[in-house]
Amino acid sequence: MKNIAKVWRSSTAFLLSAFSFLILITSCSNELDEALQSVGNGTLQFVVSDFPTFGESTQTRAIGTQDEGKTAWENGDQIIVTLISQKYGEQAAALTYNGSSWSTEASLSYLENETPSVSVFYAPCYEVTEEGTMQLRSGMQLGMTEYLSGNYEMDNGIMTITFEGAIRTYSRLRIAGLANQTLTVTTTNFTPAGVNNSSPESGEVPQAEGSVTYTLTTDNNGNAFLYGVFAEDATVIVKQGNVVLKDYTFTAEKNPNGTEHNKSYALDARPVIDGTLGGKAEATEDDITALVEQLKEYVGNGITTIIVPGNKSAIITVGNITETAIGEAIYRLSGNGNYDENNPYNGKIDLVLPDVTEIVAMEFYAAFALNSITLPKVTTIGDMAFQGCDHLTKLTFGSVLTTIDEHDGLMFWVGEKVDGCDLFLNCGQMNSQYVPDLATNTWTILHTNEFKSITLTHTGENSECDECKKLQ
Ligand SMILES: [Zn+2]
């Protein structure tokens, strides 16, 4: 009987082809038995195609930070090759990419006169053990990463591995939230990528029916991902602590027959509070009480960035002051104008009003709970709008302020209980009616307001505007 082994060892050379990396793997016979050693060397080359990118459907791109996800092979990526030989049984090896070439420390053996059964995967939730078997990585579940089956061709000792979009038999769900947060995601009728794969695997297989819970951490762009198939009527509940950030159903109307293979879906799971109260013109006392409780629940569950979308805030009149609902709720959370250094909500909230164009008079008066305020579209602010934001460390305007109504108290009496407040202004403010003094970090409207720092942020198209040049 003629026993000829082909053995794949770590690469010693590689060639770069026009479209891919080509690796020459030479054999090494020192792990073989006597009978096999006499046969001599075999060689194998790997050709790996480009990484197949996900397209993201247009209707979901506006949510959070756009993210096409992984677009190319990266340092440390692994492709797992499994091989079943009649003589040597099941074996697995991981090819690792170092940024320019693929290599492996493992060896795979088969007889030259047999046609081994080979599968190739990109499945980062798996690793290959020293014994040459596949297992789920610690803390990983199927569905947390891609499980991409590759095609391969073997010809004259060259294995060509290709990954094409069409062979992705699952979709991607991008959960868009805040950066670096831990989310609990519970799914029903979700089949994680890899469950239906027929290739050898030793890890446990989650139930396609019933509920599966994942603990996911969002990346620096605020995104976390699930890979798999959501059937029609599948549900996704995204929570941070006990707060439900999103409860979504893939209904027949929105997603007939569930998710489509090889498509990316986006779910907005940012911590949002509806300051419009569902489009109400006027808020009731009960509405304000509920808003205060919602703020407490968010902060209590570690959600400190709170986004309040919408430009038409519900309003409430208390005494002779007319206020937005969110402004009134923060005022009450802060102690109704009475400063208490032991209030657990002091300086806890980073408030973002992405759509609002006007801050009304006293809107954030005595808002001790605020650590920062971000106002990308505000152009008009009323008297004493920020007076008494004693814990405010950062105030950001994205647009040029064209109307500042300071006629009674100080507009920006802020940061008294902390080490002052940093002010960020659109550089176009330097050409406006209201120009701050960058040398002294003061801004005189009627009175002189002091800041810890004043920084101009350039938001126009010309990256070298005169205002920014002056600072260089
Ligand atoms: Zn500029």
Side-chain angles (χ1 to χ4, degrees):
M1 187 199 274
K2 194 178 172 194
N3 284 350
I4 298 176
K6 293 221 172 177
V7 183
W8 311 347
R9 292 292 291 179
S10 53
S11 69
T12 52
F14 67 90
L15 300 167
L16 187 63
S17 76
F19 64 97
S20 62
F21 295 105
L22 177 70
I23 294 140
L24 176 66
I25 309 265
T26 54
S27 73
C28 181
S29 60
N30 59 4
E31 290 176 1
L32 300 176
D33 60 36
E34 287 291 322
L36 296 177
Q37 281 191 30
S38 63
V39 176
N41 290 342
T43 62
L44 195 75
Q45 298 171 339
F46 291 119
V47 181
V48 179
S49 74
D50 291 342
F51 184 83
T53 59
F54 257 112
E56 195 159 353
S57 50
T58 51
Q59 71 270 24
T60 63
R61 277 190 171 270
I63 296 171
T65 305
Q66 292 182 18
D67 198 331
E68 56 188 339
K70 184 179 180 63
T71 57
W73 297 117
E74 292 159 20
N75 197 4
D77 280 346
Q78 290 193 325
I79 291 170
I80 295 175
V81 179
T82 64
L83 180 147
I84 303 172
S85 161
Q86 288 181 333
K87 166 80 176 170
Y88 298 103
E90 281 187 35
Q91 306 151 71
L95 310 181
T96 304
Y97 190 59
N98 70 359
S100 60
S101 65
W102 295 86
S103 66
T104 182
E105 294 297 318
S107 53
L108 296 169
S109 304
Y110 65 97
L111 302 181
E112 193 176 47
N113 61 4
E114 73 171 324
T115 302
S117 172
V118 174
S119 300
V120 295
F121 309 94
Y122 171 65
C125 55
Y126 277 98
E127 62 187 354
V128 175
T129 65
E130 287 186 9
E131 292 74 37
T133 58
M134 277 175 78
Q135 69 176 20
L136 278 168
R137 290 180 191 273
S138 172
M140 282 286 187
Q141 293 163 259
L142 282 179
M144 290 171 74
T145 71
E146 299 250 26
Y147 194 107
L148 199 51
S149 293
N151 298 312
Y152 79 98
E153 282 178 19
M154 287 245 264
D155 184 27
N156 274 334
I158 295 176
M159 179 185 278
T160 304
I161 297 170
T162 56
F163 292 93
E164 292 164 7
I167 57 170
R168 218 182 231 119
T169 54
Y170 53 87
S171 59
R172 182 183 78 163
L173 181 68
R174 177 166 71 85
I175 298 165
L178 301 174
N180 307 311
Q181 305 291 309
T182 301
L183 305 176
T184 306
V185 182
T186 301
T187 62
T188 62
N189 291 312
F190 173 60
T191 305
V195 161
N196 292 332
N197 204 293
S198 59
S199 59
E201 58 193 46
S202 57
E204 73 268 28
V205 176
Q207 301 291 310
E209 306 279 329
S211 91
V212 181
T213 297
Y214 295 87
T215 300
L216 304 176
T217 304
T218 56
D219 60 21
N220 289 335
N221 291 326
N223 294 315
F225 300 94
L226 281 180
Y227 300 86
V229 176
F230 292 89
E232 192 175 295
D233 294 329
T235 59
V236 185
I237 298 173
V238 182
K239 292 168 81 175
Q240 181 162 349
N242 297 317
V243 174
V244 175
L245 296 173
K246 192 73 181 185
D247 184 346
Y248 185 80
T249 302
F250 288 85
T251 61
E253 296 89 285
K254 287 179 288 188
N255 302 96
N257 302 315
T259 52
E260 289 179 49
H261 293 348
N262 210 37
K263 287 270 174 68
S264 181
Y265 295 77
L267 199 60
D268 188 350
R270 292 171 297 171
V272 164
I273 283 182
D274 179 16
T276 73
L277 303 173
K280 273 190 177 181
E282 289 194 32
T284 64
E285 272 296 316
D286 286 349
D287 290 332
I288 302 301
T289 303
L291 267 184
V292 171
E293 290 308 309
Q294 195 175 6
L295 289 169
K296 285 181 176 176
E297 192 194 15
Y298 274 45
V299 173
N301 282 278
I303 304 170
T304 54
T305 297
I306 293 173
I307 303 165
V308 185
N311 190 22
K312 291 281 179 197
S313 231
I315 59 162
I316 185 164
T317 300
V318 181
N320 57 356
I321 294 172
T322 297
E323 197 55 87
T324 64
I326 188 68
E328 181 64 19
I330 290 171
Y331 176 76
R332 294 188 189 184
L333 184 72
S334 301
N336 285 298
N338 302 307
Y339 183 73
D340 176 0
E341 64 179 6
N342 296 317
N343 185 331
Y345 300 102
N346 285 341
K348 278 286 156 54
I349 295 176
D350 295 303
L351 184 69
V352 183
L353 304 179
D355 307 312
V356 165
T357 55
E358 177 180 0
I359 302 299
V360 300
M362 298 183 76
E363 180 155 353
F364 298 116
Y365 177 83
F368 311 127
L370 295 179
N371 175 62
S372 74
I373 311 175
T374 303
L375 305 166
K377 291 187 179 169
V378 163
T379 57
T380 299
I381 49 181
D383 195 34
M384 296 190 280
F386 306 97
Q387 179 167 319
C389 286
D390 283 0
H391 283 263
L392 199 68
T393 62
K394 188 175 178 183
L395 177 58
T396 303
F397 293 97
S399 302
V400 176
L401 291 165
T402 53
T403 306
I404 304 179
D405 180 23
E406 185 179 82
H407 65 263
D408 193 356
L410 277 165
M411 172 65 67
F412 301 110
W413 189 357
V414 293
E416 286 294 299
K417 300 289 185 185
V418 289
D419 188 25
C421 178
D422 296 315
L423 175 67
F424 291 80
L425 293 170
N426 185 307
C427 59
Q429 196 70 50
M430 302 306 286
N431 289 331
S432 75
Q433 183 185 345
Y434 308 100
V435 179
D437 185 340
L438 301 177
T440 60
N441 291 323
T442 57
W443 201 3
T444 301
I445 315 296
L446 179 63
H447 308 288
T448 295
N449 301 267
E450 291 183 28
F451 294 90
K452 185 179 178 185
S453 72
I454 301 177
T455 303
L456 299 182
T457 52
H458 182 87
T459 55
E461 288 185 359
N462 180 359
S463 63
E464 298 216 353
C465 76
D466 292 341
E467 287 69 38
C468 289
K469 270 185 191 167
K470 283 180 204 163
L471 301 174
Q472 289 169 359

